[in-house]
Amino acid sequence: MEFQYVFNDETQTVKVERVGAQWAVTVMGETHLLTPTLGPTGEVTFTLNGVRWVAQATPDGERRWVALNGQTFVLTVPAKGKKQRRGKTGGHETLAAQMPGVVRRVLVADGDAVEKGQTLLALEAMKMEIKINAPHAGAVEKVLVSEGQTVERGQVLINLLAKA
Amino acid sequence: MSSSLTSLLIANRGEIAVRLIRACRELKIRAVAVYSEADARALHVREADEAVLLGPPAPKESYLRVDKILEAARQTGAQAIHPGYGFLSENADFAEAVHAAGLVFVGPSPAAIRQMGSKTGARALMEKAGVPIVPGLQENGQHKTEYDWLKAAQDIGYPVLVKAAGGGGGRGMRVVRDSAEFLEALASAQREAANAFGDATIFLEKYIARGRHIEFQVLGDQHGNVVHLFERECSLQRRHQKVIEETPSPLLVQHPFLREQMGRAAVAAARAVHYHNAGTIEFIVDPDTLQFYFLEMNTRLQVEHPITEMLTGLDLVHWQLRVAQGEALPFTQDQLTARGHAIECRVCAEDPAQSFYPSVGRLLRADEPRGPGLRVDSGFVGGDEISPHYDSLLAKVIAHATTRAEAIQKLDAALARYTVLGLTTNIAFLRDLLAHPEFVGGNATTQFIGQHFAQWQPPAPPPAAFIAAALTEQLAAPPANTPPAVAGASSPWDRKDGFRLGAGR
């Protein structure tokens, strides 16, 4: 079976194949013969190139949380057939919340011309304020949220129209 | 302990509420929790004997509602209120209202809170008490113009700190490095102060750029006895928020005479406001001149109090409850001893690689480390929801050992065993801080994190991480030719019980 995971925009394919009592696992161009065990709390243990790894991997939607030997990583399963809708399409651009929180301040209105770097909106979560700045000059097409509103991670806050 | 107190309301949430409830258990005191709608299933609510809903998630509508908290105390027959830290803990009006309701406030007198709460008032008071203060300018009742402030900043010398008189804990405080940014920073500090603390009063202080943050724990009773329980060094800060705290201070270990002086100054500071209960005097120390200056007093229990408990063997919460009931301290300053070295780090739901943005959501798993000399104070367990409404502190991990080097080692090993899944945490970042030679050498100043870790990135996953993810999916997946497992409602991934390979199901 093949599994794909993305970390830092890089996709890794892991091929797993049963060979008798062992598993042949291919990743980053190398094949390893492993004898993994799955423990009572879901931890998987295996020895790779002489190093013993005890890993706890937990799914969370499309994310895979992997804790192993004192470190934790979040891998993502690439979405199938679904294009990421964020970003630019023909001068239109959407600005989304990088974190869930509450909209503290809205500093622009529909139709406003904005400069590159101008603060458009401030979000707050866990006592931390983050500013949403214009990535480049343009105009505010639509502000989709209002002050005091709670937003999710990835929720679109503002539609921008890039300067031609 | 002979205690007449049989019930205590805890006006807080998270790890500190849980820690206070456990103290109640030890002392056979009934623990009453309060909570917001966001915390209905929180650990502190589950652990308490009784819990009362205050209101909606926003602190202003729940944990800051004095009227509702007093009503909860009345309803449940609680005799005393412990405010924890944050929220209402340094609100003199709240302490007064608690007294007026005929209840015991586990903390200092409202007057002491008020005196120390005004940062400008405290500066004046400390100056009078002979406690050194940082050179600066404050309003002292007369209005100051932009010109006055700008001129003062020039005289003090950049960088300067603009601070909110009602602020604290890094809030309402900014560093200004030159005159060009000064007026804008002044205006925004005033705005922030008015918003956050309901008081636009600000003041200026010289910014000790390469300072060491060293604070003294004090404890006083209602009979005029005040002792200090040694220092804590909290120089590792990020945007004035403490990240790692330890005791003794590596700087004071080299300069014991300075500990003597600072300890005496701390006790004098507490005496100046007739302080009783637990409190902390914060100083900034210039390591080049070994001059120390009063920063502020926190008139409450500190987040980092456990390291003092590990070092002295005293339970600060027990003592808070005892002196709040009028008991006299049975020990004097020279009877107090410190043993070994204790160090704490704050595990937060935040992403150090992405401007420390908060991480919010469900904690899928939290396996806490255990072992000799280790303590974990946490407010959450696996399965809990972490809300965006409150701060990002998940847990404190504290290690105690004979020497500093051993304590650091122990803490690092504990962090390595702390498995938190579902939320991004600062654990890897903390481990890198602990390993840095400047920290290991005991020389880190308040600049340390900004200087060395501004561009910090977590290590990239080794091949084993990808293998582990794939193997777990493969081994946990239903047998034979089914399509690759995508987590869904029916996936064995969702099983919370110990699914076993070949366990026959």
Side-chain angles (χ1 to χ4, degrees):
Chain A
M1 209 180 277
E2 265 188 19
F3 300 91
Q4 287 197 323
Y5 303 107
V6 181
F7 184 85
N8 267 357
D9 296 330
E10 235 180 85
T11 304
Q12 300 291 347
T13 302
V14 188
K15 217 176 118 198
V16 181
E17 192 191 339
R18 179 131 214 177
V19 185
Q22 291 184 309
W23 293 86
V25 182
T26 307
V27 65
M28 298 176 187
E30 264 190 79
T31 302
H32 312 273
L33 280 177
L34 307 174
T35 318
T37 55
L38 189 66
T41 61
E43 79 275 15
V44 63
T45 306
F46 56 93
T47 302
L48 177 70
N49 298 333
V51 180
R52 182 167 181 268
W53 298 90
V54 181
Q56 188 79 57
T58 302
D60 179 13
E62 286 170 346
R63 293 188 290 182
R64 298 289 180 266
W65 295 87
V66 183
L68 77 170
N69 295 21
Q71 293 182 321
T72 302
F73 304 98
V74 195
L75 314 176
T76 317
V77 176
K80 288 216 173 71
K82 196 167 64 178
K83 268 263 170 240
Q84 293 243 322
R85 290 199 312 155
R86 254 192 242 158
K88 273 199 275 190
T89 39
H92 296 274
E93 185 160 14
T94 58
L95 298 181
Q98 302 102 307
M99 62 174 196
V102 178
V103 179
R104 266 292 151 247
R105 284 175 293 150
V106 177
L107 301 163
V108 290
D110 296 357
D112 285 3
V114 294
E115 294 301 317
K116 179 177 175 172
Q118 185 179 336
T119 301
L120 310 177
L121 190 140
L123 279 185
E124 189 187 298
M126 290 177 166
K127 297 181 174 176
M128 175 174 180
E129 188 180 275
I130 67 155
K131 296 185 168 90
I132 309 291
N133 296 331
H136 33 69
V140 176
E141 200 174 12
K142 188 142 190 65
V143 179
L144 300 159
V145 292
S146 52
E147 284 182 16
Q149 188 178 337
T150 303
V151 295
E152 300 295 324
R153 188 202 313 268
Q155 182 172 340
V156 178
L157 307 169
I158 289 180
N159 289 336
L160 270 188
L161 202 54
K163 208 155 149 184
Chain B
M1 162 184 175
S2 64
S3 167
S4 52
L5 196 67
T6 58
S7 59
L8 177 73
L9 182 141
I10 293 149
N12 218 297
R13 67 179 300 282
E15 67 85 18
I16 193 63
V18 174
R19 189 255 178 272
L20 293 170
I21 292 168
R22 289 181 184 157
C24 287
R25 284 276 175 284
E26 291 159 8
L27 300 170
K28 309 266 187 283
I29 293 173
R30 188 164 58 95
V32 179
V34 291
Y35 64 99
S36 74
E37 284 162 11
D39 281 339
R41 287 156 44 83
L43 186 61
H44 78 281
V45 174
R46 303 202 295 266
E47 293 230 339
D49 293 296
E50 244 181 292
V52 181
L53 173 68
L54 295 175
K60 269 188 200 149
E61 299 179 76
S62 50
Y63 296 105
L64 293 174
R65 283 287 296 266
V66 173
D67 56 339
K68 295 221 171 161
I69 290 167
L70 292 177
E71 174 55 26
R74 201 194 54 76
Q75 246 178 57
T76 57
Q79 299 160 308
I81 297 185
H82 195 306
Y85 53 70
F87 295 124
L88 293 168
S89 62
E90 295 183 281
N91 183 319
D93 294 341
F94 175 61
E96 226 152 50
V98 172
H99 288 301
L103 305 174
V104 174
F105 179 75
V106 184
S109 69
I113 299 176
R114 199 161 276 135
Q115 284 172 297
M116 285 300 186
S118 156
K119 301 306 170 205
T120 50
R123 274 175 62 89
L125 203 65
M126 289 303 106
E127 203 169 12
K128 230 173 80 188
V131 178
I133 58 168
V134 186
L137 174 82
Q138 59 191 61
E139 291 190 25
N140 286 331
Q142 329 141 261
H143 177 73
K144 297 270 191 293
T145 63
E146 283 192 339
Y147 167 80
D148 294 331
W149 289 115
L150 192 62
K151 182 90 174 41
Q154 206 69 44
D155 291 346
I156 295 166
Y158 291 97
V160 296
L161 263 184
V162 185
K163 292 172 119 176
R171 303 244 290 155
M173 177 149 101
R174 59 193 66 214
V175 183
V176 188
R177 301 197 180 274
D178 62 71
S179 57
E181 21 169 323
F182 182 77
L183 288 178
E184 199 196 316
L186 186 77
S188 83
Q190 282 170 327
R191 225 176 18 245
E192 199 178 306
N195 282 337
F197 315 110
D199 175 6
T201 310
I202 48 115
F203 64 104
L204 282 191
E205 260 182 20
K206 175 157 189 61
Y207 181 55
I208 314 276
R210 295 181 50 78
R212 307 279 290 248
H213 177 114
I214 299 173
E215 59 186 31
F216 275 72
Q217 175 71 53
V218 295
L219 182 65
D221 62 23
Q222 298 184 45
H223 309 277
N225 302 306
V226 181
V227 295
H228 72 77
L229 303 179
F230 311 104
E231 77 278 6
R232 293 183 290 254
E233 176 156 0
C234 318
S235 295
L236 263 61
Q237 303 185 359
R238 196 187 67 79
R239 295 192 189 156
H240 310 291
Q241 295 282 347
K242 294 161 190 166
V243 178
I244 291 178
E245 304 101 347
E246 62 182 314
T247 181
S249 150
L251 185 73
L252 297 194
V253 166
Q254 290 168 36
H255 305 286
F257 75 94
L258 194 55
R259 177 181 295 124
E260 287 283 312
Q261 284 180 18
M262 292 174 73
R264 270 200 302 276
V267 170
R271 283 192 194 283
V273 292
H274 307 288
Y275 200 84
H276 57 82
N277 220 283
T280 295
I281 314 284
E282 295 189 338
F283 296 106
I284 186 92
V285 183
D286 185 332
D288 299 328
T289 62
L290 296 183
Q291 288 290 314
F292 66 93
Y293 307 98
F294 171 85
L295 281 181
E296 62 181 34
M297 179 173 194
N298 294 312
T299 53
R300 54 169 165 85
L301 191 64
Q302 298 273 97
V303 176
E304 59 273 25
H305 76 274
I307 56 173
T308 298
E309 297 186 323
M310 301 283 262
L311 195 82
T312 59
L314 296 173
D315 186 306
L316 279 171
V317 174
H318 287 198
W319 280 106
Q320 282 193 295
L321 294 170
R322 293 170 77 151
V323 298
Q325 293 173 80
E327 212 176 300
L329 292 178
F331 41 72
T332 58
Q333 189 66 58
D334 359 309
Q335 289 171 326
L336 293 166
T337 53
R339 199 175 58 88
H341 194 97
I343 178 166
E344 170 187 281
C345 62
R346 302 185 185 192
V347 173
C348 296
E350 62 188 19
D351 187 353
Q354 280 199 45
S355 321
F356 290 86
Y357 284 167
S359 179
V360 174
R362 188 175 296 281
L363 194 57
L364 298 172
R365 192 179 185 100
D367 298 341
E368 291 171 9
R370 282 164 219 272
L374 272 188
R375 169 172 167 181
V376 179
D377 280 20
S378 63
F380 309 91
V381 295
D384 282 352
E385 197 70 42
I386 307 302
S387 136
H389 298 283
Y390 313 108
D391 72 25
S392 59
L393 181 66
L394 291 177
K396 306 178 302 205
V397 183
I398 306 112
H400 183 229
T402 313
T403 65
R404 181 171 188 265
E406 288 169 296
I408 293 173
Q409 251 176 17
K410 196 182 276 270
L411 183 60
D412 179 61
L415 288 173
R417 296 204 305 282
Y418 200 169
T419 303
V420 180
L421 303 181
L423 295 168
T424 304
T425 72
N426 60 343
I427 289 178
F429 179 75
L430 292 170
R431 294 188 63 199
D432 281 356
L433 295 180
L434 291 176
H436 194 282
E438 194 170 318
F439 174 74
V440 173
N443 299 314
T445 69
T446 50
Q447 299 287 292
F448 173 75
I449 290 181
Q451 244 169 33
H452 300 292
F453 290 87
Q455 302 301 319
W456 184 85
Q457 286 296 319
F466 297 98
I467 294 174
L471 280 176
T472 308
E473 294 201 54
Q474 173 79 55
L475 299 182
N481 310 314
T482 43
V486 173
S490 62
S491 160
W493 279 86
D494 292 333
R495 293 175 59 97
K496 294 277 187 286
D497 52 353
F499 171 76
R500 276 165 198 271
L501 180 67
R505 39 191 293 270

